Each structure stands twice: as C-alpha cells, then as structure tokens.
Amino acid sequence: MPDYQRIAAEFGLGRLQAVTPLAGGRADVVRLTTAAGEFVAKPAESEAQAVLYERAARVLSEAGVRQARPWRTTAGSLIGESGHGVQEFLPGRIFLPPTPAQTAGVMRHTGACHAVLAHVPVPPALAAQDTLFTRVASPGYLIETLPGLLHRTGLPGGAGHTVARALGLVEAFLPRMRQLPAQVVHGDIGPDNVLMDGDEVVAVIDFTPFAEPVLFAVATALYWYHVHGQATLDGRAVRASFAAAGPRRGWARAEAAVWPVMLLREALRRLATPLALAGEPGIPVPAAVITRYQAVRSILRSWPYLEPAKALSAAPGSVTI
C-alpha cells in the first residue's frame, strides 16, 4: 500500500487525517483528508500527461468548465517521488445507471468541454504516442488486426462476418475520417468518469487524452451511455444525444456524414482492447468480450436509424441533427 502520509508531505498538504477509497473508482485512487483540505491521489501516467492535464484544466476553468485543479509538490513537480499525482477533490456522485436527464446533461457538457479543448495545442508527444490503447483506436489497426484477434474468442460463429461488415464500413469512410481536424479530446467519457450533482455535471474525471477529432470523444460518450449493454438501440435517443453534444453552430456536414461510423469505430475499439490485452502473456480473454461484440452487432442492426441521410440533404454548411 502506498505511504499516503509521505504523499501528503510531498505535496505540502499537511497532516494526513483519513484515506478513503472513492466509490466506484479504482482501488489505487483514493480521497485524502488532510489539514489542508480534501484531495484525490492516484498513480501518475507520465510528466507529459500531467502537464497536458494541468494546461487543459486551466483553460477549461477559465472558460467556466469545472475541472479538478492539479497540485504541485513542494519542489514544483506535478508528480511526486512516490509516483503519485494529486488533484483537488470535487464533490459529486457517479450514477450507474444515469437517468435520461443526466445523459442529456453529460452530452451538453461534452460539447462545451471540447469546444474549449479545441484551443489547447496538441503536444507533439500526444500526436505521436504509440501504446496498445492508441493502436486499438486506430482504424488501420482495427482493419488489419481485429479479424485475427477474434480467433482467440468463443464468440458465435457469425461474429467474424458481423465484424467484417463493421470494418468494411469503417474502411469505406476512412478518407472522410482522416479529413476531420484533430484536437485534444477526452477518450473515455462514461458514467463511471462523470461526477454529477442531480442532473448537472460537476466534472468529467480521469482525463484520458487523445489527439483525435472531437467526434472521437462524442462517440465514446454515445457508446457508454447508449450502446454498451443494450441489446436494442434507441436510434432517436442516440441521435438526440449526438445533437446535444454539437457546437452552437451545428455539426458541419463532414461531421454529420461520418458520426455513425465513428460510433461504430468506437465499438470496435472497445472490442479490440481486451482482445489485444489478452495477447499479452498470462492475460486470458475476459468474458466481457461477448458484451462488446454485441455492441457492434447492435449498432449494425440499428444502422438505418443512425445514418444521417436526412441531415445531409439539408443546406450546405452546418446541419442540425
């Protein structure tokens, strides 16, 4: 167990009074109550990611979008010698499952948050990062590698055909996806990463940065709020959430044309992640793979209700979904 008194001392937080696990969070992310107040401590990914989060949190806060303020050590670093980072503790609750009103609030917040993040320069290291998690987010990786990963599973016999159809759609829209501008986005917006106060969003936590189009973040939220674990999708609700997450000007035609494929890409990413992790020595394929495969199948079954054909027949420029 980490020495939390040492961590409190590193960040100048005063005497440690209590260490409390966060409800619904990871075991290694805890709430520290100290003489200086309440904070969240967790293992840090890297100095570069900590610096990016500090910059993003500052820009968001200046725009009125709440984010947990990161603390620096007494020596001025964002990561202590313990390997931990510290942020302010924000009050709020995680709701599982969220209500429709809470979902709508998250989608509006996602749009507002990423409109601000568009002003944060993409660090070269973020654009160039190459990890298992960035690879599974790549359409090229999915097209080339996912069919082979499926052989490790006990999925139904038709799974290969279903995934091949989904990958075919992604490949067909690949040129359009590559034309979308990349920015800093949060790549894991789901109910377990959103603090709520009733129907209002307090903040999105566990900042997971990617250099991707804004639709990447929106697709992540749509996946976790509308697709994962749902045998049948409510196409109208999905489209309403997509509209709620849009900019004030409306979605550009290029974005409206490709968003269902971005959602499909997100489902394929979520399917590929545990399969790719299972490729590491000693890691078995988790049973949750079947749920993630069903998400891909559910999107394909609902495809006629997701395609924005009517929106694309609107006037040039931006469209309202």
Side-chain angles (χ1 to χ4, degrees):
M1 176 180 290
D3 184 346
Y4 290 111
Q5 180 60 68
R6 174 192 173 192
I7 293 171
E10 285 180 331
F11 287 86
L13 306 181
R15 182 175 58 84
L16 181 65
Q17 298 173 350
V19 178
T20 310
L22 292 178
R26 293 165 20 198
D28 56 359
V29 181
V30 299
R31 175 179 175 181
L32 303 181
T33 303
T34 77
E38 294 186 310
F39 305 87
V40 173
K42 61 181 178 179
E45 296 291 335
S46 69
E47 183 73 20
Q49 183 164 326
V51 169
L52 175 58
Y53 175 74
E54 182 184 51
R55 183 179 301 136
R58 182 176 64 251
V59 172
L60 286 165
S61 295
E62 289 173 352
V65 181
R66 188 80 183 274
Q67 283 295 121
R69 174 189 167 195
W71 243 247
R72 287 183 174 263
T73 68
T74 56
S77 173
L78 287 165
I79 302 178
E81 292 183 2
S82 60
H84 282 67
V86 166
Q87 300 174 3
E88 67 172 322
F89 173 79
L90 294 179
R93 287 180 55 197
I94 289 172
F95 287 85
L96 300 172
T99 66
Q102 289 169 337
T103 296
V106 171
M107 295 303 161
R108 290 191 297 269
H109 184 90
T110 297
C113 173
H114 285 86
V116 176
L117 287 177
H119 299 290
V120 177
V122 177
L126 179 64
Q129 68 177 338
D130 182 21
T131 67
L132 181 146
F133 297 102
T134 59
R135 288 194 291 274
V136 296
S138 164
Y141 175 92
L142 294 171
I143 292 165
E144 294 176 9
T145 308
L146 183 53
L149 294 176
L150 286 176
H151 293 304
R152 302 174 182 171
T153 72
L155 292 173
H161 175 76
T162 299
V163 170
R165 180 187 167 202
L167 290 171
L169 286 166
V170 170
E171 186 169 16
F173 278 79
L174 193 52
R176 294 191 187 192
M177 285 191 283
R178 286 176 172 165
Q179 290 175 357
L180 299 174
Q183 65 167 77
V184 174
V185 301
H186 191 315
D188 196 18
I189 301 175
D192 57 346
N193 277 342
V194 181
L195 297 177
M196 306 287 301
D197 179 9
D199 294 340
E200 298 299 319
V201 175
V202 174
V204 180
I205 59 176
D206 285 347
F207 184 60
T208 308
F210 284 82
E212 290 282 353
V214 66
L215 284 182
F216 185 89
V218 174
T220 294
L222 291 175
Y223 176 83
W224 288 118
Y225 280 87
H226 288 289
V227 178
H228 185 79
Q230 302 297 321
T232 303
L233 303 191
D234 183 340
R236 180 175 297 180
V238 177
R239 289 171 65 89
S241 282
F242 173 67
R248 291 183 179 179
R249 59 167 170 78
W251 288 107
R253 287 175 62 83
E255 294 166 322
V258 80
W259 78 268
V261 184
M262 291 292 287
L263 178 58
L264 188 58
R265 169 189 168 185
E266 175 66 14
L268 290 166
R269 167 170 82 118
R270 297 298 173 176
L271 173 61
T273 299
L275 297 178
L277 284 170
E280 302 296 328
I283 301 180
V285 176
V289 168
I290 187 67
T291 302
R292 298 191 175 198
Y293 161 69
Q294 289 171 342
V296 175
R297 188 175 60 179
S298 294
I299 293 173
L300 290 177
R301 285 179 171 176
S302 301
W303 200 250
Y305 303 99
L306 300 179
E307 286 186 299
K310 293 183 180 178
L312 289 178
S313 65
S318 62
V319 297
T320 302
I321 303 300

